[in-house]
Amino acid sequence: MMPRYLSLSWKILLLMLSMLLLLLLWFTGLSLLHMNEQFNRQQAQRKAQGQQYFEFYNQSSAQQLLTWLQTHVELQQLHLADDFDQFATGLATQLEPLQQNFAVRQLSLFGPQQQLLYRSNAALPGNSNDIVARTLAEHSPQTLISCDVQCDKLLTLPLLDRHGEVAVLLATTDMTEVLFNLHQALGVEVAILRDSTDNNGLQRFTLLQASDHQLLQQLYQVLPAQFDMAQARRDGLVLTLQQHSYYLHFITLDPAGNGSHLLLMLEDVSAAVTENRRYQRRIIAVAGGCFLALLLLITLVTRRISRRILQLARALPLLAQRRYAAFRQQSTLQPGLLQDELTTFADSVLTLSHELETLDQQLQENTTNLQKMAMFDQLTGLANRNMLQYQLNLALAGLQHQPGYVGLLFLDLDNFKDINNSRSHAVGDLLLIETAQRLKSLAQPSDVVCRFGGDEFAIVLMHISTPEQAEQLAARVLALFDTGFTPEQGMVSLSASIGVACSADAGFAAEELIRRADLAMYQAKHNGRNRCFVFAEQMSSDLANRMQLEAELRQALAQQQFSLSLQPQVNLTTGMLCGFEALLRWQHPQRGMVAPDEFISVLEQAQLMPEVGYWVFERSCQHCVALKELGLPQVVIAVNLSADQFLDRNLPDNFAAILQKYALSAGHFELELTESTLVSHVSETLDVMHRLKAQGFAFAIDDFGTGYSSLNYLKQMPVSTIKIDRSFVMGMLDNPADHQIVASTIAMVHKLGLKVVAEGVESLAHLQLLQQHSCDFAQGYYLSRPLPEAQLADFVTHQVLQQQWPASLLP
Ligand code: C2E
Ligand code: CA
Ligand code: CA
């Protein structure tokens, strides 16, 4: 599950807010608590004050009464009296003034034995005996508050007569005056209550006296059904009545008694409570205001931060897209009053963008350089193989929009390897450079000239309307080589073989077009070089066949499918067999016997010829041994050699080793090579020929007349025999030109001191004509077809040694 997104500013905001809220709650709570405490303290002070005042009024009223009584006693001169009787009688008269001045409700006098001497009408309060006893005991005035149905203040004064007898004067006064004074002095309502608990355990108050009876009655109504009276006695109680708040202080009146009587001080604290509330509200409002203001501030700050972060975040992908200018524009932050981490970050990112841009530029430069290196040939400055591929693809793709043809000329310098080897590589390089320049001078600006590799070049005709245009260009390219090259001192003549392929198909693969042009070039090479071939479908199948044949030939070599056929040669002067030509045969497992013309060239191309050549020579040696044993000691076997075999520097040594193995001399062999073999690698071939000649081998020039070597050339060669090509011999009866060639060749060869073999003698007429021209040797179907190995022994024993052959065939 994707985590939900909450903006950074919100996170900070929430965090700050919760902290702020806590702080404010704490602060507000603290100040409210403080305010409450202050209020309570004030109230406690008020209560203490009330208590003090109460005490004070109580005492002062008692003191006044006491003073009055003492004065009265003095006036009566009680200390001179014998007893208290007279004094007691006089007390009744004092009752009225006492009632009026001191609110005395009752007055009584007790004798020394506590016997009642006088009593006013009113009943005695409950604990009058106690206080009287105490006064008698202590001989001093005593006061006491006694509560019953109502609360009375009791005051005693000890009296002495002449005999020292003690009597006690007891006055009971009302509390009303004290209450009234308290009410006046403190400005509070006062009341006296009796606190009791009823049968159900509920708190009950009985109102005994009150400055405002009605108010107390109403308040009594709103008193909670249950509350902690002990706490109320200690801390007071707040009651609300008709939008007024009253503070009730309870003061125990008779701590000596059971404490059930209470002095209630009732103060209207509405103003203070309202003030308190207002103050509370103000604190909360201030806290709320602070909260909102800070909220706004935080929001503003964090919004700005998050906006700037988002701005950077949105700009950063531009870096990846390499849009540096746009990135810088978008990532520039609005200048604030103060710098912060984001400013530093933005600065770093800016620096980064500059560095990246520089790096990118460098990268691009390097890439271009690399591309150049990858796309161009260092030596000639031409496009290279990669570029060719690229341009071809481009050209082919272009056909989609503009129908026509893409043409490709594939050019390979002829025998360049020989020049490279015989001169120097430096010369080779110069030739390649000049070839490149000539090709470039010929090509149109739209054409792409490439060096494909080594001595191979290619020209792409990006767009032509007909394939013929490519062929025309190829012809002009061939003509470029008519002029010789002068790389250093001395002239070098070069030629090229060109293959041409075209395509009008935009979907055609560049590789395939290159393959086709290459194939066509290959055909040009095969057909004598220095020419141009246009690709034909046939070439592909030819190539496939050749590949197949090559594979089969490798197998043939491994599985010994080769054999030899031996064709006898006749000495026309003696009319006797002089030797055999060894001809290679291939017994194909499916196709049967395959003629050498079909596979020799393939063996040569596959570079298998040297190996096969050794096999042919060794097999010829075996036949030579067999023929000697059959009774032909002087027999000569002609063995055909390919050009490749002469490039093998070990050929003379290896032949010598084979001869030694069969104890044969080189004089038994005549080595045949064609004119083209001689021409292709003159120096190497001549070198090997001389070494073989030195060993005792004789040489014959095969297929004479088909190549272009001159007889003049032959003078320098270690050649002893010339074999006139069978095409001239076969044609000489019908074709005067062939006849002329045969006749003049025999004459000239003889002039050079060499012998002549005529091949392709198919009839007696041929034989006769050749004899007329003094031809030395003859070979042909008329005399004998090439003999399979198996038939050789039989032929020698039954035909040759019996003198049957060739005598019967000769004229
Ligand atoms: P080549 O050296 O000119 O061999 C003579 C060819 O002429 C042989 O063909 C032979 O069968 C054929 N021939 C002989 N008499 C007549 C005739 O009266 N009329 C006609 N029409 N043809 C005649 P083959 O055996 O098919 O050999 C063809 C070529 O293969 C040879 O031509 C030779 O160049 C090459 N070759 C054969 N064996 C070898 C070999 O061992 N090594 C090399 N390097 N080449 C070989
Ligand atoms: Ca031959
Ligand atoms: Ca021949």
Side-chain angles (χ1 to χ4, degrees):
M1 197 180 84
M2 262 271 287
R4 265 204 249 147
Y5 178 83
L6 187 66
S7 132
L8 201 61
S9 65
W10 270 107
K11 281 181 187 160
I12 296 174
L13 194 72
L14 287 177
L15 189 76
M16 301 283 279
L17 282 186
S18 27
M19 275 167 57
L20 203 67
L21 205 66
L22 273 175
L23 212 70
L24 279 175
L25 282 177
W26 179 72
F27 172 74
T28 317
L30 214 64
S31 50
L32 290 181
L33 212 69
H34 174 73
M35 209 173 69
N36 243 13
E37 254 172 31
Q38 210 173 2
F39 180 72
N40 286 342
R41 213 169 22 246
Q42 265 173 17
Q43 294 308 319
Q45 275 172 7
R46 196 83 174 135
K47 182 177 175 183
Q49 195 184 22
Q51 231 157 351
Q52 266 175 13
Y53 272 59
F54 176 70
E55 224 99 293
F56 170 74
Y57 288 123
N58 221 5
Q59 272 173 20
S60 75
S61 67
Q63 195 58 50
Q64 277 174 18
L65 179 60
L66 201 62
T67 309
W68 193 93
L69 287 175
Q70 277 171 340
T71 313
H72 175 70
V73 171
E74 292 224 340
L75 285 176
Q76 293 299 313
Q77 293 195 325
L78 192 60
H79 58 283
L80 302 178
D82 285 322
D83 56 24
F84 300 102
D85 293 344
Q86 200 186 342
F87 181 76
T89 326
L91 276 179
T93 56
Q94 297 306 312
L95 200 58
E96 203 185 307
L98 278 175
Q99 266 176 348
Q100 276 170 8
N101 291 321
F102 300 105
V104 172
R105 285 206 292 123
Q106 186 272 144
L107 195 65
S108 47
L109 185 69
F110 293 88
Q113 274 74 47
Q114 269 190 282
Q115 76 275 31
L116 192 61
L117 299 179
Y118 166 77
R119 187 177 70 116
S120 65
N121 286 346
L124 278 173
N127 17 17
S128 51
N129 282 340
D130 296 349
I131 191 169
V132 170
R134 214 162 67 222
T135 315
L136 283 174
E138 294 185 12
H139 286 227
S140 64
Q142 300 288 326
T143 56
L144 178 79
I145 293 173
S146 162
C147 294
D148 191 8
V149 183
Q150 66 172 66
C151 283
D152 293 323
K153 226 161 53 168
L154 274 62
L155 175 76
T156 56
L157 179 69
L159 306 175
L160 282 175
D161 63 2
R162 201 163 64 93
H163 308 292
E165 293 286 339
V166 183
V168 177
L169 186 64
L170 170 68
T172 307
T173 56
D174 208 327
M175 293 289 291
T176 315
E177 193 196 332
V178 176
L179 293 186
F180 178 74
N181 284 336
L182 211 54
H183 168 68
Q184 285 287 317
L186 292 178
V188 295
E189 300 299 333
V190 284
I192 290 179
L193 304 174
R194 191 170 63 238
D195 172 19
S196 58
T197 315
D198 72 0
N199 299 338
N200 301 329
L202 287 176
Q203 202 78 34
R204 286 227 163 269
F205 290 109
T206 317
L207 192 58
L208 302 181
Q209 270 169 296
S211 54
D212 187 340
H213 226 274
Q214 197 189 355
L215 177 65
L216 278 164
Q217 287 293 349
Q218 285 174 342
L219 279 174
Y220 189 66
Q221 300 302 319
V222 297
L223 195 68
Q226 265 181 331
F227 66 98
D228 186 356
M229 188 55 204
Q231 199 197 343
R233 275 174 185 246
R234 197 173 61 239
D235 301 334
L237 193 67
V238 179
L239 291 180
T240 310
L241 178 70
Q242 292 159 0
Q243 277 138 32
H244 281 270
S245 298
Y246 298 94
Y247 206 109
L248 282 70
H249 299 286
F250 298 97
I251 300 166
T252 312
L253 271 184
D254 51 347
N258 56 7
S260 61
H261 286 77
L262 298 168
L263 170 69
L264 173 68
M265 269 185 4
L266 179 75
E267 190 170 12
D268 187 345
V269 289
S270 301
V273 168
T274 315
E275 178 62 23
N276 249 7
R277 289 232 179 93
R278 221 180 56 201
Y279 187 63
Q280 272 179 16
R281 272 202 296 273
R282 210 178 302 155
I283 282 183
I284 291 173
V286 167
C290 282
F291 184 77
L292 284 177
L294 280 170
L295 185 112
L296 201 73
L297 192 73
I298 294 169
T299 314
L300 277 179
V301 171
T302 54
R303 271 279 301 283
R304 191 176 132 78
I305 290 173
S306 84
R307 213 178 42 233
R308 295 193 318 159
I309 291 177
L310 280 178
Q311 184 186 349
L312 285 175
R314 269 194 294 270
L316 274 172
L318 291 174
L319 269 189
Q321 296 163 17
R322 299 177 178 181
R323 293 163 58 192
Y324 301 104
F327 169 77
R328 281 193 282 271
Q329 201 192 347
Q330 282 201 25
S331 67
T332 311
L333 300 178
Q334 291 255 316
L337 277 177
L338 297 167
Q339 302 240 327
D340 57 15
E341 287 86 340
L342 267 181
T343 329
T344 320
F345 180 61
D347 286 347
S348 306
V349 168
L350 195 73
T351 319
L352 180 74
S353 84
H354 282 296
E355 277 171 14
L356 271 182
E357 190 170 17
T358 319
L359 266 179
D360 205 29
Q361 273 164 4
Q362 269 172 10
L363 187 76
Q364 264 165 15
E365 268 168 40
N366 290 349
T367 313
T368 322
N369 283 343
L370 275 177
Q371 264 171 357
K372 252 190 215 153
M373 276 162 73
M375 291 297 200
F376 292 92
D377 174 49
Q378 301 290 311
L379 179 68
T380 60
L382 292 181
N384 67 9
R385 199 187 186 124
N386 295 336
M387 186 62 143
L388 170 76
Q389 188 96 14
Y390 174 74
Q391 293 289 349
L392 261 185
N393 280 326
L394 217 66
L396 286 165
L399 291 178
Q400 215 161 19
H401 313 290
Q402 199 184 354
Y405 290 88
V406 171
L408 178 64
L409 269 61
F410 201 95
L411 181 148
D412 188 294
L413 298 179
D414 296 330
N415 304 321
F416 184 74
K417 213 187 281 172
D418 299 338
I419 295 166
N420 229 0
N421 289 336
S422 58
R423 308 292 286 267
S424 68
H425 281 264
V427 172
D429 284 354
L430 289 173
L431 287 174
L432 289 173
I433 293 170
E434 199 176 333
T435 305
Q437 282 164 353
R438 290 190 189 189
L439 290 176
K440 208 109 195 119
S441 70
L442 192 68
Q444 296 290 315
S446 61
D447 301 340
V448 181
V449 183
C450 312
R451 182 176 172 210
F452 194 77
D455 59 344
E456 294 169 329
F457 293 86
I459 302 175
V460 183
L461 300 164
M462 297 294 280
H463 191 269
I464 46 177
S465 34
T466 60
E468 284 72 37
Q469 281 175 270
E471 288 173 51
Q472 284 157 12
L473 180 68
R476 281 161 56 213
V477 170
L478 284 178
L480 280 179
F481 293 89
D482 290 349
T483 328
F485 288 65
T486 46
E488 280 172 331
Q489 65 273 69
M491 177 96 98
V492 178
S493 57
L494 267 182
S495 67
S497 300
I498 303 176
V500 175
C502 293
S503 175
D505 177 8
F508 208 77
E511 294 83 7
E512 177 60 15
L513 201 63
I514 295 172
R515 195 190 68 84
R516 288 183 165 195
D518 188 21
L519 206 59
M521 185 276 290
Y522 195 72
Q523 291 295 327
K525 285 254 182 228
H526 261 261
N527 285 272
R529 304 191 166 95
N530 190 25
R531 64 200 64 216
C532 161
F533 263 65
V534 177
F535 172 81
E537 286 296 338
Q538 178 66 27
M539 291 175 184
S540 287
S541 56
D542 283 355
L543 185 69
N545 288 340
R546 202 162 48 232
M547 304 287 273
Q548 164 82 12
L549 205 59
E550 202 181 300
E552 287 178 345
L553 280 168
R554 283 178 200 278
Q555 215 177 6
L557 196 60
Q559 296 178 356
Q560 303 236 323
Q561 289 169 6
F562 292 122
S563 67
L564 291 181
S565 275
L566 293 124
Q567 189 173 33
Q569 292 176 336
V570 173
N571 185 329
L572 292 179
T573 321
T574 60
M576 301 284 278
L577 169 92
C578 62
F580 294 89
E581 183 180 356
L583 296 162
L584 189 60
R585 294 292 177 264
W586 177 21
Q587 183 65 42
H588 190 279
Q590 284 92 42
R591 286 155 63 190
M593 199 61 85
V594 182
D597 286 330
E598 266 190 65
F599 66 86
I600 293 283
S601 65
V602 182
L603 280 178
E604 282 171 346
Q605 274 153 32
Q607 263 137 33
L608 290 171
M609 207 54 230
E611 199 180 338
V612 176
Y614 284 121
W615 182 87
V616 169
F617 183 67
E618 185 159 359
R619 195 94 180 123
S620 301
C621 285
Q622 290 167 0
H623 286 306
C624 186
V625 171
L627 286 169
K628 276 172 80 177
E629 281 169 2
L630 282 172
L632 299 174
Q634 300 298 319
V635 74
V636 172
I637 296 182
V639 175
N640 294 283
L641 291 185
S642 286
D644 280 3
Q645 291 177 267
F646 283 95
L647 292 178
D648 177 4
R649 300 214 153 253
N650 297 323
L651 188 76
D653 293 343
N654 290 342
F655 271 15
I658 297 169
L659 284 176
Q660 203 177 2
K661 181 174 170 190
Y662 293 98
L664 290 170
S665 73
H668 282 292
F669 297 93
E670 187 173 60
L671 305 177
E672 295 187 6
L673 64 158
T674 61
E675 290 169 292
S676 56
T677 302
L678 268 171
V679 175
S680 61
H681 302 284
V682 188
S683 61
E684 288 92 338
T685 310
L686 271 178
D687 179 48
V688 173
M689 277 176 81
H690 281 294
R691 285 167 62 197
L692 287 168
K693 173 81 183 174
Q695 285 178 16
F697 284 103
F699 283 102
I701 302 293
D702 206 353
D703 304 344
F704 191 82
T706 54
Y708 41 82
S709 63
S710 65
L711 281 169
N712 212 20
Y713 212 2
L714 288 177
K715 278 195 273 183
Q716 307 159 24
M717 310 259 178
V719 170
S720 54
T721 314
I722 298 295
K723 291 185 86 172
I724 301 176
D725 190 70
R726 62 180 183 271
S727 60
F728 301 113
V729 176
M730 278 149 62
M732 72 182 180
L733 290 177
D734 315 315
N735 190 339
D738 285 349
H739 184 196
Q740 184 55 47
I741 290 170
V742 173
S744 56
T745 304
I746 295 173
M748 277 188 285
V749 168
H750 279 163
K751 256 192 198 149
L752 289 169
L754 307 177
K755 300 283 185 196
V756 177
V757 179
E759 345 176 75
V761 177
E762 292 190 343
S763 64
L764 185 61
H766 286 128
L767 203 66
Q768 282 170 334
L769 197 57
L770 287 167
Q771 269 182 329
Q772 276 174 27
H773 291 291
S774 313
C775 181
D776 303 291
F777 305 101
Q779 176 186 349
Y781 289 173
Y782 173 69
L783 294 164
S784 169
R785 286 188 172 256
L787 301 164
E789 288 170 319
Q791 296 172 19
L792 188 64
D794 190 62
F795 172 75
V796 170
T797 21
H798 295 107
Q799 303 278 332
V800 181
L801 294 178
Q802 300 294 318
Q803 306 281 321
Q804 295 286 318
W805 190 91
S808 58
L809 298 167
L810 297 176

